[in-house]
Amino acid sequence: MTGIKIDGIEIAKNVKDRVRKAVDELKKQGINPCLATILVGDNQASATYVRNKHKACEEVGIATKDFKLAANTTQLELNKIITDLNNDKSVHGILVQLPLPSQLDEFATTSRISPLKDVDGLTPHNAGLLAMKKAALVACTPSGVMEMFDYHNIALEGKTVVLINRSNLVGKPLYHLLLARDATVITCHSKTKNIKEMCQMADIIITAVGDRNKFTLTQDMIKKDAIVIDVAISRYEEKLSGDSDYEQIIQKASYATPVPGGVGPMTVAMLLKNTITAASLSSQIER
Ligand code: GUN
């Protein structure tokens, strides 16, 4: 018997339906939720992600502002745009698509965003609140993964979760979200010596490496009935692929996410949800 597919398209649709209703409510109160995105340079994958985010906003009635900046944009120029957006009352969420070209500093950039408009949950303020279990705005991919667990009523208390990622956008927020739900969380990374053994003892594996030449999660690395969440997406052997082969993993896992159609759609859906939260936050403060 094979495991159950965690279908990101279906769960994202469910989130979007809720967001659509929240947008209508906000509009009745005279608030027109708006997300501003900033894309610097000509990274094709980033351009596609931003386009998808705009399309999803349109689907649920969220307005957008689209800033496409030249690859040689300076830190000062980028800072000025962020400051203007921080002060623009018609904008509720600000997203700077990552990665940035090398002349730009990721921390200097994201920490400049007003915490109230920080729909990526990347500012030190929001990252700190998350560690204290008080965050309103949490990074989209991690909160999307949590939404997937909840959709399937997957209990996390006491479960051993192995995370294969330690980034500010994925691994660290997931660590705090899972810990807050009483899971035992082990964070693995490029210098971890015994990833295979770590994975073999995990009830849940969340993998986000994104380079199959460096890492593949294979069937022999998971225990029977483990849950596998594959956050990665990259091009491998002419097709889009995660860190694992879904068809192989699902033979042994109790639940697993496919790629594409797994975590990816959840990231976009949670961005919409965060934009609504940000719009509500700023309207409460203005009242
Ligand atoms: N690049 C890849 N994923 C993300 C994300 O969730 N937010 C931003 N800002 N950049 C990304």
Side-chain angles (χ1 to χ4, degrees):
M1 222 179 67
T2 64
I4 295 169
K5 173 164 98 172
I6 303 182
D7 184 341
I9 296 171
E10 174 189 317
I11 305 171
K13 184 180 174 306
N14 185 278
V15 174
K16 281 190 205 167
D17 288 343
R18 280 184 271 147
V19 169
R20 208 175 279 110
K21 288 194 186 105
V23 170
D24 291 345
E25 281 306 311
L26 283 168
K27 285 186 177 170
K28 276 186 208 152
Q29 297 167 40
I31 302 155
N32 192 16
C34 176
L35 172 71
T37 63
I38 303 174
L39 172 65
V40 190
D42 37 29
N43 179 319
Q44 283 313 302
S46 291
T48 305
Y49 293 140
V50 171
R51 226 178 5 258
N52 287 342
K53 289 170 186 181
H54 280 258
K55 209 169 125 237
C57 283
E58 201 178 307
E59 274 170 32
V60 298
I62 294 176
T64 52
K65 289 194 177 179
D66 190 6
F67 292 81
K68 289 199 181 77
L69 310 182
N72 63 356
T73 299
T74 65
Q75 190 71 58
L76 271 179
E77 287 165 335
L78 181 55
N79 289 354
K80 161 110 180 50
I81 292 172
I82 294 173
T83 303
D84 289 348
L85 290 170
N86 283 342
N87 294 328
D88 184 340
K89 285 200 162 51
S90 72
V91 170
H92 303 100
I94 303 170
L95 178 139
V96 180
Q97 186 66 26
L98 303 174
L100 290 168
S102 58
Q103 79 278 14
L104 299 171
D105 183 313
E106 198 172 296
F107 179 76
T109 303
T110 52
S111 59
R112 203 171 185 89
I113 296 171
S114 159
L116 292 170
K117 300 189 179 189
D118 170 26
V119 286
D120 266 323
L122 276 174
T123 57
H125 183 89
N126 286 325
L129 286 177
L130 178 62
M132 304 290 206
K133 300 206 263 184
K134 301 281 183 210
L137 293 168
V138 178
C140 304
T141 301
S143 51
V145 171
M146 299 306 283
E147 193 76 31
M148 289 175 133
F149 290 136
D150 292 342
Y151 187 86
H152 284 279
N153 292 315
I154 293 169
L156 298 169
E157 187 185 315
K159 296 284 169 64
T160 300
V161 184
V162 164
L163 286 175
I164 311 174
N165 185 289
R166 57 170 158 178
S167 69
N168 293 332
L169 212 44
V170 178
K172 285 182 208 160
L174 266 170
Y175 175 84
H176 290 297
L177 290 167
L178 292 160
L179 195 62
R181 298 277 291 270
D182 299 321
T184 302
V185 193
I186 300 166
T187 305
C188 299
H189 48 78
S190 51
K191 302 288 185 286
T192 302
K193 290 202 164 35
N194 48 348
I195 288 200
K196 185 171 179 177
E197 288 74 21
M198 296 281 186
C199 290
Q200 282 170 337
M201 67 173 192
D203 299 310
I204 301 174
I205 299 166
I206 306 177
T207 183
V209 175
D211 184 349
R212 287 290 283 271
N213 297 312
K214 288 194 181 131
F215 178 76
T216 299
L217 182 76
T218 47
Q219 209 191 57
D220 61 314
M221 293 167 76
I222 72 168
K223 71 178 182 185
K224 175 99 186 78
D225 291 334
I227 296 170
V228 176
I229 309 291
D230 194 338
V231 178
I233 188 153
S234 63
R235 202 155 268 287
Y236 182 67
E237 291 177 348
E238 308 292 309
K239 58 183 173 70
L240 285 178
S241 130
D243 287 344
S244 61
D245 283 322
Y246 171 77
E247 296 303 339
Q248 225 200 70
I249 291 292
I250 202 67
Q251 303 300 321
K252 193 169 178 187
S254 57
Y255 292 89
T257 58
V259 177
V263 176
M266 294 307 297
T267 300
V268 179
M270 300 316 280
L271 172 66
L272 306 176
K273 193 168 174 219
N274 277 352
T275 305
I276 297 307
T277 304
S280 309
L281 285 176
S282 44
S283 67
Q284 278 163 25
I285 282 166
E286 276 160 30
R287 251 180 227 143

